[in-house]
Short mmCIF file of all heavy atoms in Angstrom, two decimals:
data_model
loop_
_atom_site.label_atom_id
_atom_site.label_comp_id
_atom_site.label_asym_id
_atom_site.label_seq_id
_atom_site.Cartn_x
_atom_site.Cartn_y
_atom_site.Cartn_z
N SER A 1 -16.09 -2.42 19.05
CA SER A 1 -16.29 -2.24 17.61
C SER A 1 -16.27 -0.78 17.16
O SER A 1 -16.08 -0.54 16.06
CB SER A 1 -17.65 -2.88 17.20
OG SER A 1 -18.77 -2.18 17.83
N PHE A 2 -16.46 0.13 18.14
CA PHE A 2 -16.31 1.53 17.80
C PHE A 2 -15.00 1.88 17.22
O PHE A 2 -15.00 2.66 16.23
CB PHE A 2 -16.52 2.34 19.12
CG PHE A 2 -16.20 3.75 19.03
CD1 PHE A 2 -17.10 4.69 18.61
CD2 PHE A 2 -14.98 4.21 19.43
CE1 PHE A 2 -16.70 6.03 18.47
CE2 PHE A 2 -14.56 5.57 19.37
CZ PHE A 2 -15.50 6.49 18.88
N TYR A 3 -13.92 1.37 17.82
CA TYR A 3 -12.57 1.60 17.27
C TYR A 3 -12.37 1.17 15.88
O TYR A 3 -11.92 1.89 14.99
CB TYR A 3 -11.49 1.03 18.21
CG TYR A 3 -11.67 1.45 19.70
CD1 TYR A 3 -12.08 0.64 20.63
CD2 TYR A 3 -11.37 2.81 20.07
CE1 TYR A 3 -12.25 1.01 21.94
CE2 TYR A 3 -11.52 3.18 21.33
CZ TYR A 3 -11.90 2.31 22.29
OH TYR A 3 -12.05 2.68 23.64
N GLU A 4 -12.83 -0.04 15.57
CA GLU A 4 -12.71 -0.65 14.22
C GLU A 4 -13.51 0.19 13.27
O GLU A 4 -13.11 0.38 12.11
CB GLU A 4 -13.07 -2.08 14.25
CG GLU A 4 -12.11 -3.01 15.01
CD GLU A 4 -10.69 -3.02 14.38
OE1 GLU A 4 -10.70 -3.29 13.14
OE2 GLU A 4 -9.71 -2.85 15.08
N HIS A 5 -14.73 0.56 13.69
CA HIS A 5 -15.57 1.33 12.79
C HIS A 5 -14.90 2.63 12.38
O HIS A 5 -14.92 3.04 11.28
CB HIS A 5 -16.90 1.64 13.43
CG HIS A 5 -17.85 2.53 12.68
ND1 HIS A 5 -18.51 2.11 11.54
CD2 HIS A 5 -18.21 3.82 12.92
CE1 HIS A 5 -19.19 3.18 11.02
NE2 HIS A 5 -19.02 4.18 11.86
N LYS A 6 -14.46 3.37 13.38
CA LYS A 6 -13.83 4.67 13.10
C LYS A 6 -12.58 4.54 12.20
O LYS A 6 -12.34 5.34 11.27
CB LYS A 6 -13.41 5.33 14.40
CG LYS A 6 -14.54 5.91 15.20
CD LYS A 6 -15.26 7.04 14.41
CE LYS A 6 -16.43 7.68 15.16
NZ LYS A 6 -17.11 8.71 14.42
N LEU A 7 -11.74 3.49 12.45
CA LEU A 7 -10.61 3.31 11.64
C LEU A 7 -11.03 2.94 10.24
O LEU A 7 -10.41 3.41 9.24
CB LEU A 7 -9.72 2.17 12.18
CG LEU A 7 -9.11 2.49 13.55
CD1 LEU A 7 -8.44 1.19 14.14
CD2 LEU A 7 -7.95 3.64 13.44
N GLY A 8 -12.06 2.11 10.03
CA GLY A 8 -12.54 1.69 8.77
C GLY A 8 -13.07 2.86 7.94
O GLY A 8 -12.88 3.04 6.79
N THR A 9 -13.76 3.79 8.67
CA THR A 9 -14.33 5.00 8.03
C THR A 9 -13.17 5.85 7.50
O THR A 9 -13.24 6.37 6.43
CB THR A 9 -15.13 5.81 9.05
OG1 THR A 9 -16.29 4.97 9.55
CG2 THR A 9 -15.73 7.05 8.41
N ALA A 10 -12.09 6.05 8.31
CA ALA A 10 -11.01 6.81 7.88
C ALA A 10 -10.30 6.28 6.67
O ALA A 10 -9.95 6.97 5.76
CB ALA A 10 -9.94 6.99 9.08
N LEU A 11 -10.20 4.91 6.63
CA LEU A 11 -9.56 4.30 5.52
C LEU A 11 -10.43 4.39 4.30
O LEU A 11 -9.96 4.65 3.14
CB LEU A 11 -9.23 2.83 5.80
CG LEU A 11 -8.09 2.65 6.82
CD1 LEU A 11 -8.05 1.15 7.29
CD2 LEU A 11 -6.75 3.06 6.26
N GLU A 12 -11.74 4.29 4.47
CA GLU A 12 -12.65 4.25 3.32
C GLU A 12 -12.60 5.64 2.62
O GLU A 12 -12.76 5.72 1.44
CB GLU A 12 -14.10 3.92 3.78
CG GLU A 12 -15.13 3.94 2.68
CD GLU A 12 -14.82 2.88 1.68
OE1 GLU A 12 -14.18 1.89 1.89
OE2 GLU A 12 -15.36 3.11 0.48
N SER A 13 -12.52 6.72 3.45
CA SER A 13 -12.38 8.07 2.88
C SER A 13 -11.19 8.22 1.89
O SER A 13 -11.28 8.83 0.93
CB SER A 13 -12.38 9.14 3.98
OG SER A 13 -11.17 9.12 4.68
N LEU A 14 -10.04 7.55 2.33
CA LEU A 14 -8.96 7.62 1.50
C LEU A 14 -9.17 6.88 0.18
O LEU A 14 -8.76 7.32 -0.96
CB LEU A 14 -7.71 6.96 2.20
CG LEU A 14 -7.17 7.69 3.44
CD1 LEU A 14 -5.99 6.92 3.98
CD2 LEU A 14 -6.77 9.15 3.07
N HIS A 15 -9.93 5.66 0.25
CA HIS A 15 -10.18 4.96 -0.99
C HIS A 15 -11.12 5.82 -1.92
O HIS A 15 -10.92 5.83 -3.05
CB HIS A 15 -10.91 3.62 -0.61
CG HIS A 15 -9.96 2.54 -0.18
ND1 HIS A 15 -9.13 1.92 -0.99
CD2 HIS A 15 -9.73 2.06 1.08
CE1 HIS A 15 -8.40 0.97 -0.29
NE2 HIS A 15 -8.82 1.15 0.94
N LEU A 16 -12.14 6.45 -1.35
CA LEU A 16 -13.10 7.23 -2.13
C LEU A 16 -12.41 8.44 -2.76
O LEU A 16 -12.81 8.75 -3.95
CB LEU A 16 -14.24 7.74 -1.26
CG LEU A 16 -15.22 6.59 -0.69
CD1 LEU A 16 -16.21 7.26 0.30
CD2 LEU A 16 -15.96 5.97 -1.89
N GLU A 17 -11.43 9.03 -2.15
CA GLU A 17 -10.77 10.16 -2.71
C GLU A 17 -9.59 9.78 -3.61
O GLU A 17 -8.96 10.66 -4.22
CB GLU A 17 -10.22 11.02 -1.59
CG GLU A 17 -11.21 11.72 -0.69
CD GLU A 17 -10.65 12.50 0.38
OE1 GLU A 17 -9.59 13.01 0.23
OE2 GLU A 17 -11.28 12.63 1.47
N GLY A 18 -9.29 8.50 -3.74
CA GLY A 18 -8.19 8.09 -4.54
C GLY A 18 -6.87 8.30 -3.92
O GLY A 18 -5.83 8.31 -4.68
N ARG A 19 -6.81 8.47 -2.55
CA ARG A 19 -5.62 8.79 -1.91
C ARG A 19 -5.05 7.64 -1.04
O ARG A 19 -4.06 7.80 -0.32
CB ARG A 19 -5.87 9.95 -0.96
CG ARG A 19 -6.15 11.28 -1.63
CD ARG A 19 -6.04 12.48 -0.74
NE ARG A 19 -6.93 12.48 0.37
CZ ARG A 19 -6.51 12.53 1.66
NH1 ARG A 19 -5.27 12.36 1.97
NH2 ARG A 19 -7.45 12.60 2.62
N TYR A 20 -5.69 6.40 -1.13
CA TYR A 20 -5.19 5.32 -0.38
C TYR A 20 -3.78 4.93 -0.88
O TYR A 20 -3.59 4.72 -2.10
CB TYR A 20 -6.15 4.10 -0.44
CG TYR A 20 -5.75 2.96 0.40
CD1 TYR A 20 -5.89 2.96 1.77
CD2 TYR A 20 -5.24 1.86 -0.25
CE1 TYR A 20 -5.44 1.83 2.49
CE2 TYR A 20 -4.79 0.76 0.46
CZ TYR A 20 -4.97 0.73 1.88
OH TYR A 20 -4.58 -0.31 2.62
N ARG A 21 -2.79 4.73 -0.03
CA ARG A 21 -1.50 4.44 -0.33
C ARG A 21 -1.30 2.91 -0.54
O ARG A 21 -1.55 2.17 0.46
CB ARG A 21 -0.49 5.02 0.63
CG ARG A 21 -0.55 6.56 0.67
CD ARG A 21 0.34 7.08 1.80
NE ARG A 21 0.13 8.55 1.94
CZ ARG A 21 0.99 9.42 1.48
NH1 ARG A 21 2.20 9.07 0.87
NH2 ARG A 21 0.81 10.77 1.64
N THR A 22 -0.89 2.47 -1.65
CA THR A 22 -0.63 1.02 -1.94
C THR A 22 0.92 0.76 -1.90
O THR A 22 1.59 1.46 -2.66
CB THR A 22 -1.22 0.62 -3.23
OG1 THR A 22 -2.63 0.88 -3.27
CG2 THR A 22 -1.07 -0.81 -3.54
N PHE A 23 1.28 -0.20 -1.14
CA PHE A 23 2.68 -0.62 -1.11
C PHE A 23 2.95 -1.59 -2.26
O PHE A 23 2.31 -2.65 -2.31
CB PHE A 23 3.08 -1.18 0.18
CG PHE A 23 3.13 -0.17 1.30
CD1 PHE A 23 3.49 -0.62 2.62
CD2 PHE A 23 2.83 1.17 1.14
CE1 PHE A 23 3.52 0.33 3.64
CE2 PHE A 23 2.91 2.08 2.13
CZ PHE A 23 3.25 1.62 3.38
N ILE A 24 3.88 -1.27 -3.17
CA ILE A 24 4.32 -2.20 -4.15
C ILE A 24 5.45 -2.98 -3.79
O ILE A 24 6.44 -2.43 -3.36
CB ILE A 24 4.63 -1.45 -5.51
CG1 ILE A 24 3.41 -0.50 -5.94
CG2 ILE A 24 4.94 -2.40 -6.63
CD1 ILE A 24 2.17 -1.32 -6.19
N GLU A 25 5.31 -4.31 -3.77
CA GLU A 25 6.40 -5.14 -3.23
C GLU A 25 7.47 -5.50 -4.38
O GLU A 25 7.00 -6.06 -5.43
CB GLU A 25 5.82 -6.50 -2.73
CG GLU A 25 6.91 -7.39 -2.12
CD GLU A 25 6.31 -8.61 -1.51
OE1 GLU A 25 5.06 -8.77 -1.42
OE2 GLU A 25 7.01 -9.53 -1.08
N ILE A 26 8.62 -4.99 -4.18
CA ILE A 26 9.64 -5.25 -5.20
C ILE A 26 10.89 -5.84 -4.51
O ILE A 26 11.09 -5.70 -3.28
CB ILE A 26 10.02 -3.97 -5.96
CG1 ILE A 26 10.65 -3.01 -5.01
CG2 ILE A 26 8.84 -3.39 -6.71
CD1 ILE A 26 11.31 -1.76 -5.77
N GLU A 27 11.72 -6.45 -5.30
CA GLU A 27 13.02 -6.95 -4.85
C GLU A 27 14.09 -6.46 -5.74
O GLU A 27 14.15 -6.89 -6.93
CB GLU A 27 13.00 -8.53 -4.79
CG GLU A 27 14.29 -9.03 -4.18
CD GLU A 27 14.33 -10.60 -4.15
OE1 GLU A 27 13.26 -11.22 -4.42
OE2 GLU A 27 15.38 -11.15 -3.84
N ARG A 28 14.86 -5.53 -5.20
CA ARG A 28 16.02 -4.99 -6.00
C ARG A 28 17.09 -6.14 -6.20
O ARG A 28 17.35 -6.90 -5.33
CB ARG A 28 16.66 -3.84 -5.30
CG ARG A 28 15.80 -2.59 -5.29
CD ARG A 28 16.16 -1.65 -4.20
NE ARG A 28 17.47 -1.21 -4.17
CZ ARG A 28 18.04 -0.08 -4.66
NH1 ARG A 28 17.19 0.76 -5.27
NH2 ARG A 28 19.26 0.26 -4.58
N ALA A 29 17.58 -6.14 -7.44
CA ALA A 29 18.59 -7.18 -7.73
C ALA A 29 19.94 -6.57 -7.88
O ALA A 29 20.14 -5.66 -8.69
CB ALA A 29 18.21 -7.90 -9.04
N ARG A 30 20.89 -7.00 -7.07
CA ARG A 30 22.23 -6.49 -7.10
C ARG A 30 22.79 -6.47 -8.49
O ARG A 30 22.81 -7.50 -9.14
CB ARG A 30 23.11 -7.11 -6.09
CG ARG A 30 24.53 -6.62 -6.06
CD ARG A 30 25.43 -7.33 -5.14
NE ARG A 30 26.84 -6.94 -5.16
CZ ARG A 30 27.76 -7.36 -4.39
NH1 ARG A 30 27.52 -8.31 -3.47
NH2 ARG A 30 29.06 -6.88 -4.51
N GLY A 31 23.35 -5.36 -8.93
CA GLY A 31 24.00 -5.27 -10.21
C GLY A 31 23.09 -5.05 -11.40
O GLY A 31 23.47 -4.97 -12.53
N ASN A 32 21.70 -4.98 -11.08
CA ASN A 32 20.77 -4.79 -12.11
C ASN A 32 19.93 -3.65 -12.04
O ASN A 32 18.82 -3.48 -12.57
CB ASN A 32 19.86 -6.07 -12.21
CG ASN A 32 19.20 -6.24 -13.58
OD1 ASN A 32 19.63 -5.73 -14.63
ND2 ASN A 32 17.97 -6.84 -13.57
N PHE A 33 20.31 -2.68 -11.13
CA PHE A 33 19.59 -1.41 -10.97
C PHE A 33 19.59 -0.62 -12.22
O PHE A 33 20.54 -0.61 -12.90
CB PHE A 33 20.24 -0.58 -9.82
CG PHE A 33 19.52 0.67 -9.47
CD1 PHE A 33 18.39 0.63 -8.64
CD2 PHE A 33 19.93 1.83 -9.89
CE1 PHE A 33 17.71 1.74 -8.28
CE2 PHE A 33 19.32 3.04 -9.59
CZ PHE A 33 18.20 2.93 -8.77
N PRO A 34 18.45 -0.01 -12.65
CA PRO A 34 17.24 0.29 -11.90
C PRO A 34 16.13 -0.74 -12.06
O PRO A 34 14.92 -0.45 -11.75
CB PRO A 34 16.79 1.62 -12.53
CG PRO A 34 17.13 1.49 -13.93
CD PRO A 34 18.46 0.71 -13.94
N ASN A 35 16.46 -2.00 -12.47
CA ASN A 35 15.49 -3.04 -12.61
C ASN A 35 15.27 -3.73 -11.30
O ASN A 35 16.19 -3.77 -10.49
CB ASN A 35 15.85 -3.98 -13.69
CG ASN A 35 15.98 -3.32 -15.02
OD1 ASN A 35 15.04 -2.54 -15.46
ND2 ASN A 35 17.05 -3.62 -15.79
N ALA A 36 14.03 -4.24 -11.05
CA ALA A 36 13.72 -4.95 -9.88
C ALA A 36 12.71 -5.94 -10.20
O ALA A 36 11.97 -5.89 -11.16
CB ALA A 36 13.32 -4.01 -8.78
N ARG A 37 12.50 -7.00 -9.32
CA ARG A 37 11.47 -7.95 -9.48
C ARG A 37 10.23 -7.51 -8.75
O ARG A 37 10.34 -7.16 -7.55
CB ARG A 37 11.94 -9.33 -8.93
CG ARG A 37 12.91 -10.06 -9.85
CD ARG A 37 13.17 -11.41 -9.44
NE ARG A 37 13.81 -11.51 -8.14
CZ ARG A 37 15.19 -11.42 -7.97
NH1 ARG A 37 15.93 -11.40 -9.05
NH2 ARG A 37 15.75 -11.54 -6.83
N TRP A 38 9.16 -7.41 -9.49
CA TRP A 38 7.76 -7.02 -8.84
C TRP A 38 7.05 -8.31 -8.53
O TRP A 38 6.80 -9.11 -9.39
CB TRP A 38 7.12 -6.05 -9.82
CG TRP A 38 5.64 -5.87 -9.37
CD1 TRP A 38 5.14 -5.62 -8.19
CD2 TRP A 38 4.46 -5.98 -10.24
NE1 TRP A 38 3.76 -5.45 -8.19
CE2 TRP A 38 3.35 -5.66 -9.43
CE3 TRP A 38 4.31 -6.21 -11.60
CZ2 TRP A 38 2.06 -5.60 -9.93
CZ3 TRP A 38 2.99 -6.14 -12.11
CH2 TRP A 38 1.92 -5.87 -11.33
N ILE A 39 6.63 -8.38 -7.32
CA ILE A 39 5.87 -9.52 -6.85
C ILE A 39 4.37 -9.00 -6.78
O ILE A 39 4.00 -8.24 -5.95
CB ILE A 39 6.28 -10.04 -5.51
CG1 ILE A 39 7.72 -10.43 -5.55
CG2 ILE A 39 5.40 -11.24 -5.09
CD1 ILE A 39 8.41 -10.73 -4.26
N SER A 40 3.58 -9.40 -7.72
CA SER A 40 2.20 -8.90 -7.86
C SER A 40 1.24 -9.66 -6.85
O SER A 40 1.72 -10.57 -6.07
CB SER A 40 1.64 -9.18 -9.25
OG SER A 40 1.59 -10.50 -9.58
N LYS A 41 -0.01 -9.20 -6.74
CA LYS A 41 -0.90 -9.79 -5.78
C LYS A 41 -1.21 -11.22 -5.96
O LYS A 41 -1.59 -11.91 -5.06
CB LYS A 41 -2.25 -9.02 -5.91
CG LYS A 41 -2.22 -7.58 -5.44
CD LYS A 41 -3.51 -6.86 -5.48
CE LYS A 41 -3.42 -5.42 -5.00
NZ LYS A 41 -4.76 -4.72 -5.11
#
C-alpha cells in the first residue's frame, strides 16, 4: 500500500495546484478538419 499511497500523493498535488493533465477524447473526421467529435464523460 506504500506504493499506491505515494503515487496517490503525487497525483493529488497536481490536482491541488491545478496542473493535473486531462486527456480530452476526440475523433477527427476526415475532410472536416479542424472540426472533430468530442466524446464527453
Side-chain angles (χ1 to χ4, degrees):
S1 64
F2 166 84
Y3 304 109
E4 291 295 310
H5 173 72
K6 287 296 185 181
L7 294 172
T9 301
L11 290 170
E12 181 62 22
S13 70
L14 294 178
H15 283 286
L16 291 173
E17 294 177 32
R19 296 195 294 119
Y20 182 76
R21 298 174 186 255
T22 302
F23 290 178
I24 305 298
E25 186 178 351
I26 63 170
E27 183 178 353
R28 288 156 58 97
R30 178 179 178 180
N32 200 27
F33 184 79
N35 297 316
R37 288 189 291 274
W38 169 45
I39 304 170
S40 63
K41 292 181 179 179

